[in-house]
Amino acid sequence: MAVAREATPVESAEDVKQADLDSEDLLQIYRNMLITRGIEERGHILYRQGKIPGSFYTGRGNEGASVGVATAMQAMDVGTPIQRDMGVHVTRGTEPWRIFAQYMGRSDGLAAGKDGNVHMADIRLGLIAMVSHLPALMPVAVGAALAFQIRREPRVAVAWSGDGAMARGDAHEAMNLAGVRKLPVVFIVDNNQYAYSTPNRLEFACDHLADRAAAYGFEGVVVDGCDVLTVYREAHAAIEKARAGGGPTLLELVTLRMEGHAVHDDAFYVPREMLEHWKEKDPIERHRRWLKESGVLGEAVDDEITVEVKKLLNEAMKRAEESPLPDAADLDTGVYADPEELDTPHHR
Amino acid sequence: MAVAREATPVESAEDVKQADLDSEDLLQIYRNMLITRGIEERGHILYRQGKIPGSFYTGRGNEGASVGVATAMQAMDVGTPIQRDMGVHVTRGTEPWRIFAQYMGRSDGLAAGKDGNVHMADIRLGLIAMVSHLPALMPVAVGAALAFQIRREPRVAVAWSGDGAMARGDAHEAMNLAGVRKLPVVFIVDNNQYAYSTPNRLEFACDHLADRAAAYGFEGVVVDGCDVLTVYREAHAAIEKARAGGGPTLLELVTLRMEGHAVHDDAFYVPREMLEHWKEKDPIERHRRWLKESGVLGEAVDDEITVEVKKLLNEAMKRAEESPLPDAADLDTGVYADPEELDTPHHR
Amino acid sequence: MAIKTYLQAISDGLREEMRRDQRVFLIGEDIGVYGGAFKVTQGFQQEFGEDRVIDSPLSETAITGACTGAALMGMRPVCEMQFSDFVSCAFDQLVTVAAKQHYRVGTPVPIVVRLPSGGGFSGGPFHSQNPEGFFAHCPGLKIACPATPADAKGLILSAIRDPNPVLYFEHKHLYRRIKGEVPDGDTAVEFGKARVHQEGSDLSIITYGAMVYTAEEAAKAAAEQDGTSVEIIDLRTITPWDREAVLASVAKTSKVIVLHEDTHTSGFGAEIAATIAEEAFETLDAPVMRITAPDTPVPFSPPLEKAYLPQPGDVLAGIERLAAY
Amino acid sequence: MAIKTYLQAISDGLREEMRRDQRVFLIGEDIGVYGGAFKVTQGFQQEFGEDRVIDSPLSETAITGACTGAALMGMRPVCEMQFSDFVSCAFDQLVTVAAKQHYRVGTPVPIVVRLPSGGGFSGGPFHSQNPEGFFAHCPGLKIACPATPADAKGLILSAIRDPNPVLYFEHKHLYRRIKGEVPDGDTAVEFGKARVHQEGSDLSIITYGAMVYTAEEAAKAAAEQDGTSVEIIDLRTITPWDREAVLASVAKTSKVIVLHEDTHTSGFGAEIAATIAEEAFETLDAPVMRITAPDTPVPFSPPLEKAYLPQPGDVLAGIERLAAY
Ligand SMILES: Cc1ncc(C[n+]2csc(CCOP(=O)(O)OP(=O)(O)O)c2C)c(N)n1
Ligand SMILES: Cc1ncc(C[n+]2csc(CCOP(=O)(O)OP(=O)(O)O)c2C)c(N)n1
Ligand SMILES: [Mg+2]
Ligand SMILES: [Mg+2]
């Protein structure tokens, strides 16, 4: 029995205007999706070239979901994006060269080589660095929302989880606490239909993960995660509802993970037809089409943006490769914080 | 938004017959409820006399809920009762003298003095001894159900939780796994409206905890926990459904915790009117009235049962007091099991 | 200066810091209306309101994780585990999230987890543990185990001000039993500085928490018996711990007992003993002796629990054995 | 007798025991269709069916708790944590439920938790840990850390047959890198019996898991350098651990290095070192030296990770220092 609302797709330019987006916003969304995919495609190449140690994850197919939500956040809001949410980092202004440096374990990476790949974030941009243990940052995001509530600040926390990770206790405890105290937090589920090799049907037995919201006393919405404008609209509504004291919302953004769990995984367990079907729904192509049909994006501007993004990323890769590897002497620095470190803006 | 079904009360003798109970069963339920309350009342006295070390918990008000469910279980079924479920131990045949011995930390206690109070169970009666950490045995009960499913045995596991404990991750992971694999397990929530001093409204934000079942793809039912016959009927239906391959059910049994969290707690935070109101609903009184009105119980038999229970409990206390305290030399025995211990019936 | 119970000292420390610093708030099960299972926060909700003294659902993971999140947003959260035993339900949030955050990405996580711990009143396997040994193995956490009222207050103040996640173990058996002078005002006690509980010259006992008093009783008996002079070092905090003070005492006495209420194998006593054996190899006149609880859960029944907990008699026997070495 | 990789040996042991004993079943994330993140159970679901090779939801607590429940009903569950790091999410189920059950009420809990562990390939702070030190402090659990293919197979067999909860650490860096002879058939290896990996007379290295090979390289270099003869003791299991074998080796050599990949403070090395220092006080010619990872999370970037992991050069330096003592 489905209890969540299913979001109707954004269709017209009128819809979009209502959602508070002007042409520049619409193009910025497009640009951010391109940068997001570009970073991961180039990262993948760097990985194959042996320049990225460890493992490598991409979020292909999730660009609309991640950019859409991040676009709906205000600068003062905070979030805990996960492994498929490069678009959040990009949208909030993380410089691509630092992401490449992160991938390569360089000193200028967001974790300065102490942590790798997607386990990163720039707290000055309101993002909290994920841990592997999923979804352990859901309670953390709830705690951020608690701080905002206590201080009566009009800020919102956005907590991400994958479909698979929703099975864990942390998801439950976090959503329950948020529901009980009506905290200003929005829960996003990147439902890409798989958790590594495990399909949705072995992860949960309700119709939609968004149905779970009812268990915590708030609204759940199922959204087409390939449709960045609908994602934006729903995220915007949920975030502003939270800001206004209306409590949490759970948004389930449905996509398909278009590549393996990580680069070592060829995803043989995902039916080919399914991949073909979802390829048609590609969020970037879809948005591009929409922009063109709506007259926001002409050929010339499209080319311009494409060139600009390519240039940005090529320069970023270059700059990242110039960043030094960390010094072994840094191995045991930073295990504990010093008192003066508390005097940073986010700690006031 | 409530999504769970609300159970209609059992009214007529006809209802009861449909529920497969004959007069002897109905009287046995009565007897078990009396023994349950009797054990805890006497335990309380022993505690005040300084004969019971540590703390002391009672389940006053929950006798109908615990006896009702246990009566619906078959001998081959297993369960993980918690702190208010003395009625489960009694109904499944735990000898009262061993429970008193348990309270007093004697060698004949179910935990032989290694563990105390309600942290006990007789595995030969299909019960698994609770741990304090709530509700850590919910996943354990699910595992028992998994064993039954793998071995294609027509057995059912019954997992208990309090209302407060439903906030913990263990509850979520257990119910989710059970839902995904359609395991033969029934989840019981003893909703006595408080978790220690914390009222329902600070524990969860949905209307009923039974609403949570929808999040796991199975049915939830709200039941008047003071009405032993309705509890029995719903538990019976859920257990037999599980046995037939129909998967889990979540039964929320609503009562009020009629005493403090433990004996040190005077429950000042529970409104007096609320206690008065629920006192009227006392499950034992209610069942007694029903038995009398239905002609199953006459004055004489009632007296007989009362005397018999009193005698049983007095002898039990005496026998328990004769049980020796454990020997300090046993302190470090039993940390690890020996291989031959696996050759017990429940391990075959 | 006033005489206070250990419990009162904790309570006062919390209250004063909450008055001093608006960023401090409390969250935990039954800490508000009820004032906490041990009444440490009694009256706090009245004074500070429901926003700063939060009765949470039964959710150790959410409580701890929420503290981390609030700390990252500039708050100074203090949470309570109703019994330290239940910290096992927050293990991942502490070890994976809070402890590693600063090393990984440089963001401090100033949280305090209050942990009523220890046995002695038939609490059984789940209400009597001293789980500090598990956490001493986790880089990134700090751990305090005060023994005296003055330290109970001084260390809770330091814990709240520390920019790192701090586990603050408060021994339940000391709550109302131990009274002592507590200096007035803002008297934070530095982490990593041991306290000489009593000076001595023949033998050192290195300990912390409630076992300080067990050591004291044993030392008294030893002194009365044959004048053996025992030095007792109270570590106060075990992460960081004061190796210098310990080694200085060992240098003086050449014989040492490491004493704790936690279980034996891989308890923090192993770390202390290994370190002493390594660093004071030339000085030691006898092997370092560990006196601890045995490797069992904490049993419920009084004769078993008594045998489980290190008793003054056990320590005295250890002193005699070492003295005769 | 055949030459097998460490990974193949684990896989064979599991398969053979599943064929032998219908009660054995596997549960974990991606162990079925995918064959496990490291392909240890590849092909198992085809052979044993979906009922005995269960792809679970992402739920370490439910996985572990369910194993306990199934074990109490007579099954012999073996679960996999996808990486040993994630066992932090099952900490409570292991330490509170499984470990204490038998002591409390006498019901055995025969479960095995498989834990791919260890670093060496830039897995970073959450895919490289060696969390055995936490669990060594918990009475009621057993812990195996095989180093060779023969032990990998022999210990998985014993682990499954053991009536207690067993944590079976399989070192990822050994999976495909280490090959060795594995006797055919039912060759269970007893818990608590160390293996002399190489005999020697000048100095003992006590170690386990992947560090056995680090010790070996260092010992070889030492022998070549100046003929120092190093004995390497591979503990194989750390709960229980073979004190007798360790003390016998120390009695022979009088100098000892304790080596592990887990972090330093309160690591299992502290227990070993403390025990040696206590029991072999009269024999030791030098302080027991611990060589371990430092007290930090496992860093990601290669130069940092290399500095983090004990290297043969570090051990060689230790041998030299001890030899000169
Ligand atoms: C607690 C925990 N257990 C296991 C893992 C290993 N793991 C990493 S990602 C993953 C699948 C996650 O699936 P989902 O939440 O759907 O996110 P997706 O990767 O599909 O975006 C698993 C099992 C983990 N990261 N954390
Ligand atoms: C994980 C955990 N945290 C805290 C406690 C302490 N505690 C014992 S009972 C209890 C309240 C439980 O409430 P509920 O689940 O509603 O059961 P009730 O006692 O009301 O029957 C608490 C907080 C516990 N037992 N386990
Ligand atoms: Mg997914
Ligand atoms: Mg309750």
Side-chain angles (χ1 to χ4, degrees), chain D residues 69-298:
Chain D
L72 289 172
M73 294 301 115
M75 302 296 281
R76 294 286 183 279
V78 179
C79 68
E80 177 182 294
M81 301 284 114
Q82 198 157 80
F83 284 77
S84 69
D85 308 70
F86 302 127
V87 74
S88 50
C89 301
F91 184 83
D92 183 57
Q93 279 292 334
L94 287 168
V95 164
T96 300
V97 186
K100 297 187 171 57
Q101 195 72 11
H102 189 266
Y103 183 75
R104 294 170 54 234
V105 288
T107 29
V109 180
I111 67 174
V112 179
V113 183
R114 290 184 38 238
L115 298 149
S117 62
F121 43 88
S122 289
F126 307 115
H127 289 76
S128 311
Q129 292 173 91
N130 295 280
E132 69 272 6
F134 291 110
F135 296 97
H137 184 49
C138 180
L141 301 177
K142 292 192 176 182
I143 302 175
C145 304
T148 67
D151 283 351
K153 181 171 172 194
L155 289 170
I156 193 75
L157 295 178
S158 297
I160 298 173
R161 294 171 195 173
D162 199 285
N164 296 286
V166 178
L167 304 190
Y168 177 91
F169 287 90
E170 35 194 79
H171 201 291
K172 302 189 293 288
H173 202 49
L174 305 182
Y175 269 156
R176 298 188 153 85
R177 210 167 50 90
I178 295 297
K179 293 194 175 72
E181 297 208 328
V182 180
D184 295 324
D186 187 350
T187 53
V189 167
E190 198 180 339
F191 272 51
K193 292 273 172 269
R195 186 179 63 84
V196 181
H197 183 71
Q198 108 176 14
E199 292 207 32
S201 51
D202 295 332
L203 180 150
S204 304
I205 301 182
I206 317 299
T207 189
Y208 57 87
M211 286 293 120
V212 167
Y213 303 98
T214 305
E216 187 182 285
E217 266 192 64
K220 206 167 152 201
E224 280 167 12
Q225 207 168 275
D226 57 7
T228 306
S229 163
V230 174
E231 176 147 302
I232 301 174
I233 303 289
D234 169 10
L235 288 179
R236 291 166 145 176
T237 63
I238 65 172
T239 313
W241 67 286
D242 194 345
R243 299 154 155 268
E244 289 66 38
V246 168
L247 294 173
S249 181
V250 174
K252 187 162 76 170
T253 63
S254 309
K255 293 185 177 176
V256 55
I257 291 175
V258 177
L259 170 67
H260 61 54
E261 191 182 317
D262 192 359
T263 54
H264 187 81
T265 297
S266 272
F268 192 65
E271 179 61 35
I272 303 172
T275 303
I276 295 172
E278 203 171 331
E279 309 269 326
F281 185 73
E282 311 277 357
T283 336
L284 283 174
D285 282 346
V288 178
M289 178 185 289
R290 284 184 281 165
I291 300 180
T292 68
D295 286 327
T296 75
V298 190

Side-chain angles (χ1 to χ4, degrees), chain B residues 83-84 162-165 190-196 198 200 203 257:
Chain B
Q83 64 272 24
R84 313 299 171 194
D163 46 293
D190 287 337
N191 183 359
N192 56 16
Q193 304 189 60
Y194 283 85
Y196 209 148
T198 309
N200 274 186
E203 297 168 9
R257 202 192 64 212

Side-chain angles (χ1 to χ4, degrees), chain C residues 264-280:
Chain C
H264 187 82
T265 297
S266 271
F268 192 65
E271 179 62 35
I272 303 172
T275 303
I276 296 172
E278 204 172 331
E279 309 268 327

Side-chain angles (χ1 to χ4, degrees), chain C residues 156-239:
Chain C
I156 194 75
L157 294 178
S158 298
I160 298 174
R161 295 170 195 175
D162 200 285
N164 296 285
V166 178
L167 305 190
Y168 178 90
F169 287 91
E170 35 193 81
H171 200 291
K172 302 188 293 285
H173 202 49
L174 305 183
Y175 270 155
R176 298 187 154 83
R177 210 167 50 92
I178 295 297
K179 291 194 177 70
E181 298 207 327
V182 180
D184 295 325
D186 186 350
T187 54
V189 167
E190 197 181 340
F191 272 51
K193 293 272 171 267
R195 188 179 61 87
V196 182
H197 183 72
Q198 106 176 16
E199 290 207 37
S201 53
D202 295 331
L203 182 150
S204 305
I205 299 182
I206 317 300
T207 190
Y208 55 88
M211 285 294 120
V212 166
Y213 303 97
T214 306
E216 188 181 285
E217 267 192 64
K220 205 166 154 201
E224 281 167 11
Q225 206 167 276
D226 57 7
T228 305
S229 163
V230 174
E231 176 146 303
I232 300 175
I233 303 290
D234 169 10
L235 288 180
R236 291 165 146 180
T237 64
I238 66 173
T239 313

